[in-house]
Every structure is written in C-alpha cells, then in structure tokens.
Amino acid sequence: MNSTHNPKLPSTSAASMSSDFQQNQHNGLQHLQSQLLSTILRSNKEEVIWNLDEGVVKVTNALHNKKVLLVLDDVTTWQQLTALLGPQQFYPGSKVIITTRHKWLLTFFEVNPKVHAIEELDPNDAYKQFSLYAFNRDHPIEPYTLQSELIVHHCSGLPLALKVLGSFLNGKTVDVWEDAMRKIEAIPNPKIQKLLQLSYDTLEETSDKELFLHIACFFVGEDKAFIVKLLAECNLYPIVGIQNLMDRSLLYIENGRVMMHPLIKEMGQDVVRQESPKDPGKRSRLWNHQDSLCVLKENGVSI
C-alpha cells in the first residue's frame, strides 16, 4: 500500500503484529497499538495509550512519517484494521502485508490490494512436507510408505493437517500408524479441528452457521441453484449466506457446484456430531446411514 505525501526524510521500521487476542476487548487492541508504536518509534519502553481513539491518532502519525514494512497476522475484524492502520496515510514506499480468513476485509482498503490466495499443496509437495515432519527427511521410510500415502491423501494438500499428523506420528511404530489412520477417518484430529473451526465460530449470523452445517452434511458437490432453491424455503438466505461462507474460505464454487475442502467438510460434520457424541438421535442432522438406521430402530421403526 503506498501514499504520496510527506516531504520528511524517513527512517525505515519493520513490525510484525499478531491479532491473536480477544478481539472484542479494547485493552487487547490498545496493547497492540502500544507495541506497534514502540516498534515504529524504536522505543525501549511501551507507549502509553489511554483509549483506542488516541491510539488511532498516534499510529496514524507514526505511519504517516516513516517508511514501514508492517505485517498483520490473522486479522478477523474491521476494528482491528482501523485500530492498527488508521485512515491509511502511509509514507511512500511503505508495505502492509495482511493474512486473514475473511476476504470481505479487503474492502477496507481505498486502493485495490494485491491478493494472494494460499493454494493447497500438490501431491508431491504434500508428500515431502509430511515426510519432513514424520521422518525428518523428504521421503518416507519402510515400512511406512503405504500409511504415508493414505495420510497424505486424507489431508488433501492442507499444510496444517500434514504438519500436525506428521509431527504426531514421528517415531511411532507401524501398528500405532495403522490405528491412528483408522481413528482419524472416524474422528477428526482435535488440533486440526480446533484451528479449522475458527472460521466457522466467527460467523456472525446464526443462519450462516446453519447453512454451512447443512451443506457440510448433505450438499457438498450439489448444484448451487438447487441448494439456493431448497434452502431458501428454510429462511436461511442462501444467496448471501453462500457468499459469506466463500468470503471465509469455507466453501467454493466449481462448475456451478458448491464444494468444500474434505477437512472443512469433516469439521462441519464434527460440529454436528459434538451436539451429542454418544446419541445420534439427539443431533440436529443425520447423514451417516448407520446412524440413521440406529435412530430409526430405537424409535420403533421397522426396517
């Protein structure tokens, strides 16, 4: 992001800020404002900020007078951008890099930002990354080759899953690998689940959450027009809802069909499963034929 004003000769500062805090608490944002100012001003003590508005003014003045490289990691709200960037009065040559799960936040900027979407790893790179964590080398060792191929296929190119599972299985015996594979096919890994679920948890509208769970359980791969027509009758506002889910990278459209990464789909189904882990009849949705059969039998339905 560049601006074209301020005749002062700048010094250059670099700062990396993580938005990993309770985003609705002003104290968390004020603390990040203080950290950012201290870094830009190269101060050994943290700058005192009494409220967010004061912090915005101080941050704006600092960014206005220095060429900076600023990295904001895992941004989730418009308020965070406002608090840490102010009205975007950057010194010429400044660069701002933002990582976020929420594409709609890009509308914050007055100029068109350069957007880079993180792609899934191709099979060869995924195989190498998994091996680095599982074997400390770029290829599997015997007798783990088959199990490695199955796990890499299960992760579908998601770097986070490859890292978590590779690190967990490092040094384990073959029987542990085989049992772990059976387990992750039945029950999602909790570390992966927790991180993937962040995008779902930050959905603001209940209707968007319901729409996501419906699609994850029943409609992945179905025609978008069919889903819109069907779920509009359920007052889920699927046209705007699907766009909101796309903005959070929870789904995508391919050849007119609504698609999800396999682990995102698995995460959504696990959200429903956790409503009642041991009693499928108490869950809001049933998509597994074995669970459905058990519930029907328990309710006295003849099969």
Side-chain angles (χ1 to χ4, degrees), residues 1-3 5 33 52-53 55-64 78 80-91 108-111:
M1 307 291 298
N2 298 327
S3 62
H5 53 272
Q33 288 175 329
L52 282 180
D53 290 336
V56 170
V57 173
K58 289 186 175 181
V59 166
T60 299
N61 289 337
L63 294 175
H64 182 76
W78 191 281
Q80 292 170 3
L81 290 175
T82 302
L84 297 174
L85 298 181
Q88 305 180 48
Q89 296 180 356
F90 304 119
Y91 194 89
F108 173 84
F109 296 100
E110 298 169 0
V111 298

Side-chain angles (χ1 to χ4, degrees), residues 10-274:
S11 57
T12 301
S13 296
S16 177
M17 310 295 293
S18 172
S19 60
D20 185 18
F21 53 86
Q22 295 183 6
Q23 60 194 35
N24 293 323
Q25 291 189 2
H26 285 192
N27 289 342
L29 282 172
Q30 287 175 217
H31 178 63
L32 282 182
Q33 288 175 329
S34 297
Q35 285 185 312
L36 178 59
L37 280 171
S38 298
T39 302
I40 294 175
L41 300 176
R42 298 180 180 178
S43 173
N44 293 326
K45 62 180 181 178
E46 191 168 298
E47 294 292 316
V48 177
I49 293 177
W50 297 104
N51 57 64
L52 282 180
D53 290 336
E54 179 192 13
V56 170
V57 173
K58 289 186 175 181
V59 166
T60 299
N61 289 337
L63 294 175
H64 182 76
N65 287 286
K66 287 181 181 290
K67 183 168 69 175
V68 299
L69 170 61
L70 178 60
V71 181
L72 303 179
D73 181 47
D74 197 19
V75 175
T76 59
T77 69
W78 191 281
Q79 185 185 33
Q80 292 170 3
L81 290 175
T82 302
L84 297 174
L85 298 181
Q88 305 180 48
Q89 296 180 356
F90 304 119
Y91 194 89
S94 292
K95 301 293 182 183
V96 178
I97 300 173
I98 294 171
T99 69
T100 180
R101 300 166 185 259
H102 311 297
K103 294 179 183 178
W104 63 271
L105 288 174
L106 298 176
T107 60
F108 173 84
F109 296 100
E110 298 169 0
V111 298
N112 293 327
K114 294 181 179 179
V115 180
H116 177 69
I118 304 300
E119 303 291 339
E120 300 166 7
L121 296 177
D122 64 44
N124 289 333
D125 288 338
Y127 205 56
K128 289 179 180 179
Q129 175 159 323
F130 174 76
S131 298
L132 287 172
Y133 288 105
F135 306 107
N136 302 316
R137 62 183 69 189
D138 64 1
H139 60 277
I141 60 176
E142 291 295 345
Y144 299 94
T145 303
L146 177 59
Q147 288 80 7
S148 296
E149 291 175 353
L150 292 173
I151 291 173
V152 170
H153 177 74
H154 175 81
C155 293
S156 301
L158 188 67
L160 167 66
L162 295 164
K163 176 180 179 180
V164 169
L165 295 178
S167 300
F168 168 72
L169 292 169
N170 188 306
K172 302 294 195 302
T173 58
V174 174
D175 59 335
V176 172
W177 276 61
E178 292 174 347
D179 200 46
M181 189 62 207
R182 287 190 290 269
K183 181 177 180 180
I184 63 176
E185 287 178 344
I187 306 172
N189 180 279
K191 289 184 179 180
I192 299 172
Q193 175 77 6
K194 181 179 179 181
L195 291 171
L196 292 179
Q197 195 172 326
L198 288 174
S199 294
Y200 167 80
D201 289 339
T202 57
L203 288 170
E204 297 177 358
E205 299 290 337
T206 301
S207 60
D208 288 346
K209 290 186 174 182
E210 292 294 304
L211 178 65
F212 170 75
L213 295 179
H214 275 312
I215 294 173
C217 293
F218 304 117
F219 298 117
V220 173
E222 294 288 347
D223 184 75
K224 178 185 176 183
F226 167 74
I227 294 174
V228 168
K229 182 178 180 180
L230 184 66
L231 296 185
E233 299 297 324
C234 302
N235 295 321
L236 292 179
Y237 312 102
I239 296 177
V240 65
I242 286 175
Q243 184 60 55
N244 289 339
L245 297 179
M246 291 174 63
D247 287 344
R248 282 168 168 75
S249 301
L250 287 169
L251 56 78
Y252 60 96
I253 306 299
E254 186 175 271
N255 297 325
R257 297 185 178 276
V258 177
M259 308 299 294
M260 283 184 184
H261 187 282
L263 294 185
I264 295 291
K265 174 182 175 181
E266 189 176 87
M267 176 271 289
Q269 292 178 347
D270 195 61
V271 169
V272 176
R273 190 180 294 111
Q274 292 306 316

